[in-house]
Amino acid sequence: ANSLHPAMLAMISEYDIHNRGNYLISDCVKEGLIDEKDAEELNDRIYLIYEGFLMRITRGDVHFDEALEKTDQYMEHLFQSYKK
């Protein structure tokens, strides 16, 4: 039996990386954590954060561990700003 949350399974099965976040965000909406009107904007911002750090890592501007730490900080701040 697979112990992954259904949203996680759907997310990792999604080919389009931009759409991957929609699965998790839709669960946040269903659970009342964020407003539905903010879901697409939040997903876009998450995508931009990941894309930006990936670009900085590949250019050698930032080390992976530092990028990981900063990404976690940015995500926490971002989710807090959208939280109901």
Side-chain angles (χ1 to χ4, degrees), residues 33-47:
L33 300 173
I34 63 169
D35 287 322
E36 186 171 0
K37 68 177 179 56
D38 295 327
E40 185 61 31
E41 181 178 296
L42 177 57
N43 189 48
D44 287 342
R45 290 181 180 201
I46 290 169
Y47 179 76

Side-chain angles (χ1 to χ4, degrees), residues 53-67:
F53 275 115
L54 181 59
M55 186 176 7
R56 292 177 69 193
I57 290 168
T58 57
R59 283 193 320 234
D61 296 343
V62 65
H63 187 269
F64 177 80
D65 292 334
E66 180 184 357

